């Protein structure tokens, strides 16, 4: 029984490393963002610029105006990675202490105060379903979603144990234009951009 369990764990470890090597090999050579989740590699073909990046920048700036100097709302690299769980994600914004960001390699997810995602038009389930599960599983206490498709969002908190693994127990929905509380800080969602209808050129 123990041997089988160890073999399964070792097999999963090799599979994760193979996926990780592939993701690293595609860095800067293919468009979009690659992440690793329980189902395998996720490829989000998001377009650079536009409402997605503007939303992330607005949220980051509004949070940082309220946060103490030892924290930042970071929207760059590196990834957040939990090797034992076989999960590597890249939040659009993560609230983290400067000292926890100053490490070699990937970020320990248990040092992240909050992860924030802006829903991609090309793969919304990645943010609303997969990341909601994965961020709870790897111990990120607050997960906030902004959805430029609908002008809505939600904040998930209170990780608890379930038969399927750790999950967020509390969900608070919001509409664009309302204030939203992420961890200890409340920011405005006024003037956040929306995606244009399909086929319509962005202004």
């Amino acid at each position: 029984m123990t041997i089988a369990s160890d073999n399964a764990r070792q097999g999963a470890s090799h599979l994760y490393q193979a996926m990780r090597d592939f993701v690293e090999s595609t860095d800067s050579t293919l468009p979009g963002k690659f992440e690793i989740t329980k189902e395998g590699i996720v490829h989000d073909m998001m377009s650079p610029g536009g409402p997605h990046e503007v939303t992330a920048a607005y949220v980051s700036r509004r949070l940082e105006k309220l946060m103490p100097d030892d924290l930042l709302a970071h929207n760059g690299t590196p990834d957040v990675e939990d090797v034992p769980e076989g999960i590597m994600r890249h939040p659009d914004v993560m609230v983290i202490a400067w000292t926890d960001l100053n490490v070699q390699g990937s970020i320990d997810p248990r040092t992240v105060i909050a992860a924030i995602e802006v829903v991609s038009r090309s793969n919304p389930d990645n943010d609303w379903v997969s990341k909601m599960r994965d961020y709870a599983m790897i111990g990120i206490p607050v997960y906030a979603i902004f959805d430029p498709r609908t002008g809505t969002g939600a904040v998930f908190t209170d990780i608890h144990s379930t038969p399927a693994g750790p999950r967020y127990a509390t969900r608070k929905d919001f509409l664009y234009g309302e204030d939203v509380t992420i961890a200890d800080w409340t920011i405005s969602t006024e003037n956040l951009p929306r995606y244009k209808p399909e086929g319509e050129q962005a202004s």
Side-chain angles (χ1 to χ4, degrees), residues 76-149:
T77 55
D79 295 303
V80 172
E81 182 176 27
D82 188 317
V83 174
E85 287 291 348
I87 293 172
M88 184 173 72
R89 290 297 200 169
H90 187 96
D92 291 318
V93 180
M94 65 175 118
V95 177
I96 190 169
W98 285 95
T99 53
D100 292 324
L101 183 65
N102 186 24
V103 295
Q104 294 295 319
S106 301
I107 299 294
D108 179 352
R110 286 161 186 83
T111 67
V112 177
I113 297 166
I116 299 158
E117 297 289 354
V118 182
V119 174
S120 168
R121 192 203 293 272
S122 65
N123 190 6
D125 283 352
N126 185 36
D127 299 300
W128 279 111
V129 179
S130 300
K131 286 188 177 180
M132 182 173 64
R133 178 202 61 214
D134 287 355
Y135 286 149
M137 190 172 292
I138 62 179
I140 296 178
V142 178
Y143 174 40
I145 304 177
F146 291 77
D147 195 337
R149 301 173 309 150

Side-chain angles (χ1 to χ4, degrees), residues 181-202:
T181 300
I182 300 172
D184 294 331
W185 308 281
T186 300
I187 62 171
S188 170
T189 63
E190 288 284 353
N191 303 317
L192 292 180
R194 299 275 302 275
Y195 292 134
K196 298 291 184 182
E198 293 283 359
E200 184 178 326
Q201 292 295 318

Side-chain angles (χ1 to χ4, degrees), residues 125-179:
D125 283 352
N126 185 36
D127 299 300
W128 279 111
V129 179
S130 300
K131 286 188 177 180
M132 182 173 64
R133 178 202 61 214
D134 287 355
Y135 286 149
M137 190 172 292
I138 62 179
I140 296 178
V142 178
Y143 174 40
I145 304 177
F146 291 77
D147 195 337
R149 301 173 309 150
T150 58
T152 64
V155 179
F156 299 89
T157 57
D158 303 320
I159 296 173
H160 69 129
S161 297
T162 77
R167 295 292 187 270
Y168 293 110
T170 302
R171 169 177 174 161
K172 293 185 178 179
D173 292 276
F174 62 89
L175 302 174
Y176 279 21
E178 298 178 334
D179 289 349

